[in-house]
Amino acid sequence: MKAETIIIQRPERQSSAQKAAFATITVFAWLFWAFLWLPLLTLGAWAFGLRNAWLQLHVLNPIGNGGDINIILLVAVLCAVVFSSWSGYNHARFAGKQKRRGNKPVDVAETAAAIGAATGDAMKMQGSRRTVVSVAEDGFMTVDEAS
């Protein structure tokens, strides 16, 4: 069996059950990978003083039964709920919708009127790569050279 046969070239041909199984396996693989890093994360937390912060907030000077750590956790959960709610609202409101509306086409006569030029001059400008334009005293544009 070649290695190429293991890789799925056309994921749209997978059934929903296969997609769910592969997603579950992927989640467990990432969780296991994160679990392997826990000792190093613990060492880093200890080195940066998180253990000392926990001792100061929770063990040595508690407020009530739970200490300051419970207040911090409550605020963190509240922030997570607020931001998750806002994210869910935006997802429900904007998911699957076209981000920008298409522009309506503008014909040459409208363009000429908008820039203050004659329709023939606007057609010359549209058909050339480089155009030298001058503005007359009355404020209208004229094409001097079109190439």
Side-chain angles (χ1 to χ4, degrees):
M1 182 160 135
K2 292 183 178 180
E4 293 87 29
T5 58
I6 296 173
I7 299 174
I8 298 167
Q9 301 294 335
R10 305 288 302 255
E12 67 272 4
R13 292 184 179 173
Q14 283 184 309
S15 68
S16 297
Q18 285 177 321
K19 289 179 184 178
F22 285 131
T24 304
I25 291 169
T26 302
V27 166
F28 280 120
W30 278 108
L31 288 174
F32 180 70
W33 184 84
F35 175 74
L36 291 176
W37 281 95
L38 282 179
L40 186 62
L41 292 174
T42 303
L43 177 65
W46 177 78
F48 287 113
L50 292 180
R51 182 178 181 277
N52 189 27
W54 179 78
L55 284 172
Q56 294 296 325
L57 289 173
H58 185 66
V59 176
L60 299 177
N61 192 10
I63 295 176
N65 292 337
D68 290 341
I69 195 81
N70 290 341
I71 295 170
I72 292 171
L73 290 175
L74 180 66
V75 169
V77 168
L78 182 66
C79 288
V81 167
V82 167
F83 287 118
S84 296
S85 301
W86 183 253
S87 174
Y89 165 74
N90 281 329
H91 180 72
R93 183 173 173 199
F94 297 114
K97 295 185 179 162
Q98 186 178 0
K99 291 192 178 14
R100 293 185 176 95
R101 295 183 193 101
N103 295 331
K104 67 179 183 107
V106 179
D107 65 345
V108 178
E110 287 178 298
T111 304
I115 64 173
T119 305
D121 289 342
M123 290 183 75
K124 270 199 266 185
M125 283 190 260
Q126 186 181 27
S128 63
R129 293 186 71 187
R130 185 177 75 78
T131 305
V132 177
V133 179
S134 63
V135 180
E137 289 294 325
D138 57 357
F140 290 103
M141 297 174 62
T142 57
V143 176
D144 293 339
E145 179 186 339
S147 59

